[in-house]
């Protein structure tokens, strides 16, 4: 197997998560998120690399285009939570193009492939949590976590595409930092 670079060499190369739309007829659509908020400096925890939002490929990853609704426009200044993203995931629902992103402080939801976004967990601004993560199982159940250093903290489950969430935080589990979720198939 050989690897070929398909991203712009002069562009931002720090991808933190990739996902493929696995729905029948949509397998050619891929998404990538950028911005490394932790563990990217040998000398300090506060030396993160801001990204510039999300990227989309409609040709199975051969070429990538920035998603304008997520671009911060200034990689030297933290202006949008999409500049530090932990995970991106598609939803298996066939009624719309649902896309979820775990960003700095919040979980975002789009029901139109990233043209518009709403916060469905956490928040961005003064009291936001640092870490978030999400995982979506094959039936569409979404699990999310928001670290305990801000508002909206806890572990959550949604069975309705992120519209409502049940708090499933274990009792006496009050402090949690970076949590990485995974689905046991």
């Amino acid at each position: 197997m050989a690897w070929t670079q398909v991203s712009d060499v002069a562009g931002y190369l720090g991808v933190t998560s990739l996902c493929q739309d696995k729905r029948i007829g949509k397998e050619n659509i891929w998404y990538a998120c950028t911005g490394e908020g932790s563990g990217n400096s040998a000398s300090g925890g506060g030396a993160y690399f801001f990204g510039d939002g999300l990227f989309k490929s409609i040709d199975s990853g051969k070429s990538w285009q920035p998603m304008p609704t997520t671009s911060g426009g200034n990689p030297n200044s933290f202006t949008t939570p999409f500049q530090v993203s932990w995970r991106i995931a598609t939803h298996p629902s066939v009624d719309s193009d649902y896309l979820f992103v775990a960003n700095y402080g919040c979980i975002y939801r789009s029901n139109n492939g990233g043209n518009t976004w709403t916060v469905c967990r956490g928040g961005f601004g003064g009291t936001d949590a640092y870490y978030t993560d999400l995982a979506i199982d094959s039936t569409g159940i979404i699990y999310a976590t928001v670290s305990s250093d801000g508002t909206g903290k806890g572990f959550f489950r949604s069975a309705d595409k992120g519209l409502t969430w049940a708090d499933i935080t274990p009792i006496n589990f009050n402090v949690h930092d970076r949590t990485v979720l995974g689905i046991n198939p």
Side-chain angles (χ1 to χ4, degrees):
M1 171 176 260
W3 291 91
T4 304
Q5 183 172 344
V6 294
S7 56
D8 179 4
V9 207
Y12 185 80
L13 303 177
V15 171
T16 52
S17 178
L18 288 169
C19 76
Q20 176 188 19
D21 193 333
K22 296 178 186 170
R23 297 175 297 161
I24 295 173
K26 304 269 186 170
E27 299 93 340
N28 61 304
I29 301 172
W30 287 63
Y31 297 95
C33 60
T34 64
E36 299 179 25
S38 182
N40 51 40
S41 172
S43 62
Y48 25 79
F49 296 118
F50 294 127
D52 198 18
L54 307 178
F55 290 79
K56 182 177 182 177
S57 172
I58 58 171
D59 58 9
S60 300
K62 294 181 182 102
S63 64
W64 294 88
Q65 297 300 316
M67 297 177 70
T69 58
T70 65
S71 175
N74 184 357
N76 298 318
S77 178
F78 194 27
T79 57
T80 170
F82 288 101
Q83 288 177 274
V84 174
S85 297
W86 309 108
R87 187 178 315 262
I88 187 166
T90 59
H91 192 277
S93 175
V94 294
D95 64 338
S96 200
D97 293 329
Y98 291 96
L99 186 61
F100 292 83
V101 180
N103 291 329
Y104 177 91
C106 50
I107 307 288
Y108 271 91
R109 172 188 184 265
S110 174
N111 65 353
N112 54 21
N115 292 323
T116 59
W117 296 93
T118 56
V119 173
C120 61
R121 289 297 331 151
F124 183 64
T127 59
D128 44 336
Y130 191 80
Y131 295 106
T132 61
D133 197 22
L134 69 100
I136 304 174
D137 75 11
S138 61
T139 67
I141 303 296
I142 307 166
Y143 297 91
T145 180
V146 177
S147 60
S148 60
D149 56 346
T151 58
K153 63 185 176 184
F155 293 83
F156 305 93
R157 179 184 188 275
S158 176
D160 61 2
K161 302 172 193 139
L163 293 175
T164 61
W165 296 83
D167 189 336
I168 59 170
T169 308
I171 297 172
N172 298 325
F173 198 71
N174 299 320
V175 178
H176 56 95
D177 202 17
R178 175 92 168 115
T179 303
V180 178
L181 298 173
I183 302 293
N184 182 349

